[in-house]
Amino acid sequence: MTISVALCTYNGESYIEDQLVSILNQSFPVNEIVVCDDHSTDNTVSIIKRIASQSKETVFHIFINDTNIGVRKNFEKALNLC
């Protein structure tokens, strides 16, 4: 069984690291994290990439929208990519 986490982000640099560490430290292992960033203008994506590069067991798929598509469409995109 594959466990995927759909994670939507937008300008979340102040909490994204804690969020990802929490997901990675769950008692049941996560196989992949599908991140859809809605065109952040802060350091959210660079933080995600740093944590992804350090992850040995969880595969990260990071998608960055060219423009802001909004919460609903971004979440639909993330779910479809899982």
Side-chain angles (χ1 to χ4, degrees), residues 38-52:
D38 205 13
H39 199 69
S40 289
T41 57
D42 64 1
N43 292 315
T44 299
V45 174
S46 62
I47 294 168
I48 294 167
K49 287 180 178 179
R50 177 177 49 81
I51 293 170

